[in-house]
Amino acid sequence: MPNPAHGEDTHDTQAAHVLSDKDVRHFLRKYYYIANESALDKEYGDLFTEDGVFIIGNKKATGREAIRALRKKMWEEVPNRDHDMIKTFSHGNHDDDTELMILGTATWTYHEGHKNIGDWAAHVKLEKGENGQILCSFYQIIMVS
C-alpha cells in the first residue's frame, strides 16, 4: 500500500490535500517519513521548536533533546513502524492549518517478528520558525486501538 509519509502522492495523501497551506502539507509528509525511520532521531528532534512538547500515553518530553531521547527509547521497544495519515482536520478557521487533529493507522513490527496494526489520532500545533520553516510546537498521540 502506498504511504504518504514516504512522499508518495496517492489517494492516501488526501489527508494532507485538505489543508490549505502547501508548506504544512509538505511538513506532514516529511514528519511521517522521518517518524518511520529509526536512524533519524536528530532529524526528528529538528522537526520541533526548541521548547516543543511530545506526548504519547503517560510519557512526555519537552525540548528537542528530550524528544530525541524518548523517541530513541521507543525504537528500542518497536524496531519497525509505518504510519499512514487517513484524515486531517484543522482547528477553527479553514485557512489556518497551525492546529490540527490527524487520524491514522500504524503498523508496528516487534523484535519477535509479530505485527500489530492500530488506529491513532494526534493533536498537533505548528509554528513558523524564524527562517519561515514549519516546526511542531506540540504533538500528542492518542492511541485508539
Side-chain angles (χ1 to χ4, degrees), residues 53-73:
V53 174
F54 177 83
I55 302 169
I56 181 167
N58 62 355
K59 300 172 187 168
K60 179 179 178 181
T62 301
R64 289 179 176 161
E65 289 306 317
I67 291 168
R68 287 181 184 114
L70 176 56
R71 174 185 151 88
K72 192 170 199 149
K73 184 169 176 56

Side-chain angles (χ1 to χ4, degrees), residues 57-122:
N58 62 355
K59 300 172 187 168
K60 179 179 178 181
T62 301
R64 289 179 176 161
E65 289 306 317
I67 291 168
R68 287 181 184 114
L70 176 56
R71 174 185 151 88
K72 192 170 199 149
K73 184 169 176 56
M74 290 168 53
W75 278 103
E76 291 172 3
E77 299 167 8
V78 181
N80 191 348
R81 59 196 72 209
D82 188 26
H83 296 83
D84 285 312
M85 289 186 297
I86 304 299
K87 289 186 180 181
T88 306
F89 305 91
S90 60
H91 177 71
N93 186 335
H94 291 292
D95 294 330
D96 181 5
D97 293 335
T98 59
E99 187 167 4
L100 307 169
M101 284 299 295
I102 301 171
L103 302 178
T105 61
T107 303
W108 301 274
T109 305
Y110 296 88
H111 291 286
E112 304 80 24
H114 71 279
K115 292 183 179 187
N116 187 24
I117 299 172
D119 298 320
W120 55 269

Side-chain angles (χ1 to χ4, degrees), residues 33-53:
Y33 171 79
I34 291 172
N36 289 332
E37 299 295 326
S38 64
L40 299 179
D41 291 331
K42 181 186 180 324
E43 293 82 354
Y44 187 78
D46 291 344
L47 295 171
F48 287 82
T49 59
E50 288 291 334
D51 60 349
V53 174

Side-chain angles (χ1 to χ4, degrees), residues 15-32 85 88 90 95-100 102 124-128 132-135:
H17 285 305
V18 300
L19 301 172
S20 61
D21 189 324
K22 68 178 175 45
D23 292 334
V24 171
R25 291 191 309 258
H26 174 75
F27 175 84
L28 290 175
R29 287 186 185 108
K30 179 180 174 181
Y31 181 94
Y32 290 106
M85 289 186 297
T88 306
S90 60
D95 294 330
D96 181 5
D97 293 335
T98 59
E99 187 167 4
L100 307 169
I102 301 171
V124 181
K125 294 181 184 178
L126 304 173
E127 297 179 6
K128 288 216 176 187
Q133 74 178 9
I134 303 287
L135 296 171

